[in-house]
Amino acid sequence: MHRRQFLIAGLALAGSAALGIKVWHYSLSPQPDNRSLVLAAILPALLYGALPQDEQAAITALQRTEQAVIDFMSFLPLRQQQQLDQLFNLLAHRFSRLGLTGYWQTLAMLSASERLALMQSWRDSYLTVLQQAYHGLRELLYGAYYGQPEHWQNLAYTAPRFR
Amino acid sequence: MNIPSHIDASTLLSDQHFAVDVVIIGSGAGGGIAAELCAKAGLKVLLLEEGAWYQREHFVMEERWAYPQLYQEGAARKTRDQAISILQGRTVGGSTTVNWTTSIRTPQPTLAYWQSEFGLDFSAESLKPYFELAEQRLNIHPWPVPPNANNAKLQQGCEALGWEYTVINRNVNGCANLGYCGMGCPINAKQSMLVSTIPEAMRLGATLISRISVRRILWQHDKVIGLEAVPVDQYFQPRTDIKLTVTARHYIVAAGAIGSPALLLRSKVPNPSGRLGKHTYLHPTVISGAVFAEQINGHSGAPQSIYSDQFVWPADSSQAGYKLEVPPNHPVLMATKLTGMAEQHAVLMQQFNQLQVTIALLRDGFHPQSQGGAVQLDSAGQPVLDYPLTDYLWQGMRRALLSMAELQFAAGALQVLPINHQAEAYRNWSQAKAAIANLPMAPLQQTVVSAHVMGGCNMSASAQRGVVNQEGRHFQLENLSVFDGSVLPSSLGANPQLTIYGLIWRNSQRLLAELHR
């Protein structure tokens, strides 16, 4: 994956995000399939090194994390929920479209390191909206994963019971 | 009508109206103190809180429960550009229910600044009786137990470098040194408003309404004539199906330094000074992680027991001062703030119990380049804080990262990781020093957090320079007071709870003297 391609994808994402609802008329509302698609692609990469070795245990952990993301989002202000839904919809849509037109693979077909490189490119982007996407997703997903007591084994930590 | 002592607004099935002597909007440090004093004075008090009435038996020592249930916006509140994360309570007792118990009187230089800039004639001496009352009421004493390792490293670093440090005064009674203050005290040791002034006010006849969001204050000419509120849903989002109205002789706004300005902005109250919702201060805070060979277990033990004021008041007043403290280390707080992704992040998390974390809180608001942020309303009428970070603040943050790295190495750290997204873990002080000098100080690259929101309805001697007077009385609406951290005309350079307790104690007494006349 070349840096220039990331940049093009990034610009498309940024442009769409900036134009918002005018371009993607549905994009502010939650689309569970899009959210799942994006989480299924990003979570395993982001959590590489943290997920359990056992495949079944890892799948369970990912499902638990996705549910935690969904549960948590309802507590955010509607404004922020819409921004996140828009991000999920744009990511899902953009990647699918690139896949269809043959310019690029779908998000799901990128290797873990390519997905990480994609996120890293957002972090270092000169476009604020991509930086915000990087930090917003990173905090949301790490918070959801490490909020679960089942995922604390590597930390040698348990939450106390005082009563 | 005989009103019960507690109403959960989300359980109401029809519109309701309440008529009382005093209505208090918000049950944190300001609202809690005011509620008890007003109830003691024999007034009929209604205390309104957006959060839920969670008590000891409800608290769960897990962030996945505590953050969405007890904090504003699930503890994920951010400034408009998302560059600063804000921890702020939203529950009965407000931030006092979830704070880390640090209790510090208003620093003398801060009072002097308020005098010179805003004509406020407070002094350490004139406020002393009120600090003493609050300290007595909330059992505020120096923490007698040795610090946990997280705080001990701060102390050891200061000792090694000859820097000032102080043992912290805490508002606790029977504290078992657990370390979970941020999730609600599970043994009622923390003397928050939740266990002190609010139950006492209720015993004296005050009514608490929880899960209620005040949307608008109604006013005419120079008087407030009522307020409109709605219940919130299970996610604390305002509902629209039921309306609650309140009329009172006097209205006290105490919804915190984001909530209070937002309510007054929604209500379009007179604002001739133009300062309503402006000059919001945060003590913008930067973080430095350090790996030690030994166990730190920063989740265990009183979260804050040592601070250092070595750098709060630099001799060169063109530099931003900063206070050094430590936070409690819990999995979500750590995972979201540690930098990097994938294996790099996982390796850091595996060192969870060996991580020491130091924070530096910048004293904002004392410089032309530090005029704070502005509370704005989104399309749903909910607040969002715009807070521009200036070169003055960035330079202060870089110096703060340097001080923290120097301190952590002096305390024996194996590695220091400044929490900046371009930083790496550094193995010695000279390496860290050279690298920090070149880190990009920019929004989102440099992680900035806040747990202290102040200002937005600042007090001033003159109506041209403030929203309220020195007594917290609104300059234009005579039966309206603001009794919370939003009246502070700058940040404090110290954790705010005791300043708010003392100030609101004073201003409640003055208000009561007038209401009884």
Side-chain angles (χ1 to χ4, degrees), chain B residues 29-30 33 37 106 122 126-135 138 496-509:
Chain B
I33 293 287
L37 295 177
T106 320
F122 297 122
S126 71
L127 286 174
K128 190 175 161 206
Y130 302 101
F131 290 139
E132 285 174 349
L133 284 166
E135 285 161 354
L138 305 173
Q497 71 168 340
L498 183 52
T499 292
I500 301 171
Y501 296 144
L503 198 60
I504 302 314
W505 203 303
R506 171 191 186 271
N507 288 350
S508 297
Q509 280 190 353

Side-chain angles (χ1 to χ4, degrees), chain B residues 288-489:
Chain B
S288 187
V291 181
F292 280 80
E294 66 266 39
Q295 297 277 303
I296 299 294
N297 295 328
H299 48 82
S300 178
Q304 296 191 320
S305 51
I306 302 288
Y307 67 72
S308 171
D309 273 357
Q310 179 70 26
F311 301 101
V312 184
W313 304 100
D316 178 355
S317 66
S318 70
Q319 294 186 350
Y322 46 89
K323 188 179 189 77
L324 300 178
E325 297 181 345
V326 309
N329 301 346
H330 294 290
V332 171
L333 218 49
M334 295 288 269
T336 53
K337 296 306 162 217
L338 285 172
T339 50
M341 293 187 291
E343 203 151 26
Q344 186 197 354
H345 187 271
V347 166
L348 283 171
M349 286 304 288
Q350 279 162 18
Q351 294 169 300
F352 181 67
N353 286 325
Q354 287 156 267
L355 279 168
Q356 194 276 344
V357 181
T358 302
I359 54 178
L361 297 74
L362 271 75
R363 179 174 53 76
D364 53 344
F366 292 77
H367 187 271
Q369 259 208 55
S370 183
Q371 292 300 304
V375 174
Q376 302 165 346
L377 300 174
D378 69 13
S379 59
Q382 296 296 79
V384 52
L385 178 66
D386 182 48
Y387 189 103
L389 287 157
T390 60
D391 194 49
Y392 163 85
L393 292 170
W394 290 126
Q395 286 183 24
M397 289 180 197
R398 192 188 301 279
R399 277 194 300 275
L401 290 177
L402 286 165
S403 299
M404 291 191 288
E406 185 177 13
L407 176 129
Q408 287 166 319
F409 281 119
L414 301 177
Q415 291 178 41
V416 169
L417 175 65
I419 303 300
N420 173 300
H421 285 274
Q422 302 295 338
E424 293 166 22
Y426 307 113
R427 298 194 170 274
N428 56 59
W429 167 225
S430 64
Q431 191 191 22
K433 195 174 175 180
I436 292 169
N438 291 309
L439 286 177
M441 287 288 142
L444 299 168
Q445 298 289 336
Q446 172 57 48
T447 299
V448 185
V449 300
S450 166
H452 303 155
V453 194
M454 298 156 281
C457 300
N458 82 277
M459 53 185 168
S460 166
S462 88
Q464 285 81 49
R465 291 270 290 153
V467 176
V468 298
N469 68 16
Q470 190 159 349
E471 272 68 60
R473 298 293 290 270
H474 194 266
F475 276 119
Q476 287 78 37
L477 299 172
E478 62 173 47
N479 58 342
L480 174 65
S481 296
V482 181
F483 277 5
D484 62 15
S486 65
V487 302
L488 305 178

Side-chain angles (χ1 to χ4, degrees), chain B residues 68-89:
Chain B
Q69 296 300 331
L70 304 179
Y71 285 78
Q72 291 285 358
E73 303 180 17
R77 180 169 255 183
K78 289 191 190 302
T79 48
R80 181 175 281 281
D81 65 359
Q82 300 177 25
I84 309 177
S85 307
I86 299 171
L87 285 180
Q88 204 178 10

